[in-house]
Amino acid sequence: MCYLPFYSTELKLERKMESPFKGDAVKGKVALLTGGGSGIGLEIATQFGKHGASVAIMGRRKNVIDGAVSALRSLGITAVGFAGDVRKQEDARRAVEETVRHFGKLDILVNAAAGNFLVSAEDLSPNGFKTVMDIDSVGTFTMCHEAFPYIKKGGAGRGSSGGLIINISVTFHYTASWYQVHASAAKAAVDAVTRSLALEWGAEHDIRVNGIAPGPIADTTGLSKLVPQAIDAKVMPLYKVGTKWDIAMAALFLASDTGKYINGSIIPVDGGLWLSKPRYLSKEAVKMLSPTLEKESRQTAVGASTSKL
């Protein structure tokens, strides 16, 4: 996922670190992830599995899902996969029901399925706009709706506590983004769903609903599709792009006991990129101008104080 208007130099990738979480951070939990066959979704599934969870992944391409399940199992992770489209309610219901049938319960739903492409607003067809809205926002709500009977307190295999929903978003809509009106609208809707469900389902059913808003993440389809050239990392506050591991660690934080009192929050994991704007003055110019401007300001203030008004 990317936010930058132009790109030129090589990426600075941060070395993948060891997890700061205990190996049993989500032990015994069952997670279902849409978009779990690749990219961010697969990395979250991997880290959940490495930290004790059983995982189910869902995606549109069966061959991709099958390959991802094999990769997860090769790591000793208990995993199953389902081919399905989040835009179809029957597919969403089947994935949830099969997960519960296989593992006996559902603790965590991660909505990572998304659609996106670069296009100017005038060249974007209403159908193209609708497609992204259907995958990102309608699909997210559909999965939440179908998971609700199982993830609420008292649901199948659950006791007196509810589960967790994590919706993967972006930060496009915090300000604005070139050629991303469809994704901006869709993810704004996802954030609204996250907050509204956190309010309703948190109060009535003990379900925590939170979001993660990634920035540019290396080795993802989103980055390669939206940014065919390398990013100039110097325009980014931390001078580097993020990794899938960064997003997975944020998800682990929310899913483990460390995040048990967090509800309705959307966590940007973008190195502060959404706050970025071009400098209109260099540091050197500020040092030269500031004393002069301060002196002029004080003189103006003194003059104003002598006014009869």
Side-chain angles (χ1 to χ4, degrees):
M1 299 177 183
C2 188
Y3 305 69
L4 305 179
F6 56 88
Y7 316 90
S8 61
T9 62
E10 291 298 319
L11 298 177
K12 178 183 177 183
L13 298 178
E14 186 168 289
R15 181 178 60 86
K16 194 170 183 179
M17 300 172 62
E18 293 297 321
S19 170
F21 294 91
K22 293 181 178 179
D24 61 352
V26 287
K27 184 178 180 180
K29 294 186 178 181
V30 175
L32 169 61
L33 302 94
T34 69
S38 62
I40 288 171
L42 179 56
E43 181 66 16
I44 295 174
T46 301
Q47 294 300 333
F48 278 1
K50 286 184 175 181
H51 290 79
S54 299
V55 298
I57 59 174
M58 175 185 177
R60 282 179 287 174
R61 294 175 293 172
K62 186 178 185 303
N63 62 317
V64 173
I65 290 297
D66 290 345
V69 169
S70 295
L72 290 168
R73 289 176 177 173
S74 72
L75 297 173
I77 296 169
T78 303
V80 295
F82 311 108
D85 189 334
V86 296
R87 292 172 292 181
K88 299 178 180 178
Q89 187 175 5
E90 60 272 22
D91 285 5
R93 180 179 297 122
R94 177 173 50 82
V96 170
E97 291 178 348
E98 287 297 320
T99 299
V100 174
R101 185 175 295 115
H102 191 88
F103 293 117
K105 62 174 182 172
L106 177 61
D107 299 294
I108 305 165
L109 170 66
V110 179
N111 288 303
N116 202 359
F117 48 91
L118 285 174
V119 61
S120 61
E122 64 269 27
D123 291 330
L124 174 64
S125 70
N127 186 61
F129 186 94
K130 181 178 183 297
T131 296
V132 174
M133 290 292 293
D134 284 347
I135 295 171
D136 291 28
S137 52
V138 179
T140 290
F141 178 76
T142 300
M143 291 301 304
C144 292
H145 182 272
E146 296 307 313
F148 170 75
Y150 303 97
I151 209 166
K152 67 178 181 177
K153 64 180 179 182
R158 307 203 60 81
S160 59
S161 63
L164 167 69
I165 296 172
I166 300 175
N167 296 325
I168 305 300
S169 183
V170 294
T171 63
F172 293 158
H173 53 288
Y174 293 2
T175 52
S177 185
W178 288 93
Y179 315 128
Q180 293 289 287
V181 64
H182 48 327
S184 295
K187 292 303 189 181
V190 169
D191 283 356
V193 167
T194 296
R195 294 189 179 101
S196 293
L197 293 186
L199 176 65
E200 290 191 41
W201 290 358
E204 298 179 358
H205 304 286
D206 196 40
I207 299 173
R208 291 189 299 117
V209 188
N210 292 296
I212 299 172
I217 302 300
D219 299 324
T220 61
T221 302
L223 191 64
S224 62
K225 284 174 63 177
L226 302 181
V227 190
Q229 299 85 15
I231 295 174
D232 183 353
K234 291 182 179 179
V235 306
M236 303 175 65
L238 294 184
Y239 288 177
K240 52 182 173 281
V241 296
T243 66
K244 292 174 284 190
W245 183 89
D246 294 319
I247 309 305
M249 290 300 106
L252 262 176
F253 169 72
L254 292 171
S256 67
D257 288 343
T258 55
K260 66 183 179 63
Y261 199 54
I262 299 174
N263 187 37
S265 293
I266 297 155
I267 305 174
V269 184
D270 72 340
L273 178 58
W274 79 272
L275 300 169
S276 299
K277 58 180 66 176
R279 296 189 192 192
Y280 59 91
L281 285 176
S282 67
K283 286 185 179 180
E284 290 72 20
V286 171
K287 289 178 181 178
M288 292 176 61
L289 288 173
S290 184
T292 301
L293 295 174
E294 182 66 20
K295 183 178 180 180
E296 291 178 354
S297 176
R298 289 177 179 177
Q299 289 174 344
T300 301
V302 171
S305 66
T306 60
S307 170
K308 293 181 181 180
L309 295 178

